[in-house]
Amino acid sequence: MSSPSKNQTQSHGAPAPATAPGPSNEEIALYMNIAIWGIVALLAIVNIPRAWARYRHPTARRSTLRFKTASKKARQAPPRHGVQVQRSDSTAANSIRHDDLSPIKDKGESYAFEFSPTSPIEDGSVPATTHSSSVPARVHSLSARFHRANRYLHRPFLNTGYTIGQSIAFTVYSTFIVFGCFYRNFVPTFMPRRAGAIAVGQFPLIFALGAKNNIVGFLLGVGYEKLNVWHRWVGKMIFFAGLAHVVGWLVRWTVSGKLVMGTAAHPEGWAMFGGLCFLAIISLPPIRKSYYRIFWHAHWIGYLSFIIGLGFHFDEGWKWSVVAGAMLVFDHICRLFKTTFVYATITAIPELGCTRIEVPHLTRGWRAGQHVRLRTISSLMGPLDALEAHPFTIATVSESDGGEGLTLYAKNAGDWTNRLYEAAKGTQRELEAGSTEKGLRTAPEQSTKMRMIIEGPYGGPGHDVFSSFSSALIIAGGSGITFGLSSVDEIIREAEAGLAKTRLVKFVWIIQDPACLVHMMLVLQTIINRAARLRNLKVNIDIFYTRAIPSSMAQTLENASNLPENVTLSPGRPKLGNLLEGFIDKTKELEENSNNLHGTVVGCCGPASLGESVKRATMSISGSKRSAVGGVELVEE
């Protein structure tokens, strides 16, 4: 071994210590993935008590992977609890009460009708008390525990369409990605490979967030539709990192004079980047909202080209392709397992401006508030409609005693739903003259059979169990009544079995045309009749209409027996803040000791503007009022 020369010793002095090499690009991407999934795991751990409380409850455990066909015995079951809904021809005078404290924005009077139930109620065995060992335990969510901070985090941020909390979370994540791309290298042209590694490293996350059946939603108790906002944002950051990767190499090749050779050497890379740019363009909000069918079919073309190109782009690329492909395969296997081919009865409902879809033999396998994805197989709908799925909230409750089966309401809101409505009317395009009942003319219902593909259930209230709260305020707008009916129905069913803590329920339905009541009258009557048999549960239904009453409807309203007991009909829009505060005050009256109250749940389904109004009203509730009832939770569908 030769020793250093004298000159070397003099010029350099003591030998310089060897510097430790920094982490490689792949290691940095790996560390970032570990950090991101560590945050997901932390949130999942925090939600373990809520998940445990949910799955210990029998109803919550019934959220199975697919629908189950009712047995022959269940199909032949008598009507629920012997309640047979009938229309009364009684014309006895009924009192109209003027309510000066009614929460109405617009000028006008609120009319509350009082009368005796028109349907016979059989005396049956209804539990007077709940079974303490079976009632669901209520565990506060993070938003309820930190409601003071949550009040500000849920405020809209400028006109971005995001809340302040979402904007903060997106900013932190974006900073994390940008810092990872340029760590120890703030000149993009110096090390573009790292940006590519960061983009590829986000693949498992974006596929996990975009799949209908994904591990993130399962761990957090959140439906895929609520994770979609994160799916879109992660996609934006993948595009940013991929663009930095491509631009960086183009600049380096240009500086070194190897631009032509470098671009020709990576055709699979250009296929990946082309697919990424294609996804970015078709995912722009104007294109996605206006041409959703094109967006949906083009989406899988873009990500398939990205996955295939990634497998050939670098040595370790096939591993990431396998991970992404495995997530896709798993999702589609779950979808196949959740898919049922059925013959459904579709009925046009002119009063509601929608189509009722009934599948009587599907009676089990979902929770209140969940939805299904519907496809049609019919020449009346078009040859490609079997490839297009549409989400609809289930209007009936699972495993009902009467065996009503699965029922959906499809509002006429687009080309597809309008075609479905026309198909429900059959070949007769013009309705015949309708029958007259108490001064209101109604068109006869037109029904037809149609082959359909039903996939689900999905979504729902997650780890929240409505029957674990002392009171429930359900607010629905228009076709959102499907969520409201199923939620109220499930609470009543739990109370009938002695498995509910709920003692007060108010269902608020906001509609445009009061003629909608004609079709829903018997359904509301059944709800009131069932609740009347329960000693510890009170149910009220408030209906608000925003259009002027036609002359034919005015004659109907003169006879108050058209409205069931505990149902009020009021003009104008409700003041949601006053309505919610009044409901909380009534909840406080349920118990002298507030420690015996288990909170209030506010459920909402309807137009986006209604959801924002309900959220603002909920967030405005003071901390003292929240504490007095045991907390307030908001569930949006």
Side-chain angles (χ1 to χ4, degrees), residues 435-572:
S435 60
T436 302
E437 180 180 357
K438 294 182 175 60
L440 179 65
R441 295 181 62 83
T442 60
E445 292 183 349
Q446 307 292 312
S447 301
T448 187
K449 294 282 187 179
M450 181 175 289
R451 186 73 167 169
M452 291 187 173
I453 304 174
I454 297 180
E455 176 194 331
Y458 294 110
H463 292 328
D464 288 302
V465 181
F466 285 0
S467 56
S468 67
F469 294 84
S470 294
S471 63
L473 174 62
I474 311 297
I475 303 174
S479 59
I481 191 176
T482 54
F483 167 81
L485 289 178
S486 60
S487 299
V488 175
D489 198 356
E490 187 169 271
I491 292 174
I492 295 176
R493 186 187 64 179
E494 295 300 293
E496 290 170 339
L499 301 176
K501 296 178 181 178
T502 311
R503 297 172 56 187
L504 180 64
V505 175
K506 180 185 284 290
F507 175 40
V508 179
W509 187 25
I510 305 171
I511 55 179
Q512 292 182 341
D513 190 352
C516 297
L517 286 173
V518 174
H519 178 76
M520 305 305 299
M521 190 76 70
L522 302 184
V523 179
L524 300 178
Q525 179 72 76
T526 303
I527 290 177
I528 293 299
N529 287 346
R530 291 174 60 201
R533 303 174 65 248
L534 299 170
R535 301 179 185 176
N536 294 333
L537 180 64
K538 182 178 180 181
V539 177
N540 294 312
I541 301 176
D542 295 343
I543 303 171
F544 297 87
Y545 60 92
T546 58
R547 288 182 180 174
I549 301 177
S551 57
S552 58
M553 190 68 188
Q555 183 178 352
T556 302
L557 294 181
E558 290 181 0
N559 188 345
S561 61
N562 279 278
L563 287 178
E565 190 179 10
N566 298 337
V567 178
T568 63
L569 181 64
S570 307

Side-chain angles (χ1 to χ4, degrees), residues 207 211 213 303-304 307 321-337:
F207 279 95
N213 306 275
Y303 68 66
L304 280 182
I307 292 176
S321 294
V322 168
V323 172
M327 288 186 173
L328 285 176
V329 171
F330 174 78
D331 178 39
H332 283 79
I333 289 177
C334 291
R335 292 192 193 188
L336 183 62
F337 186 67

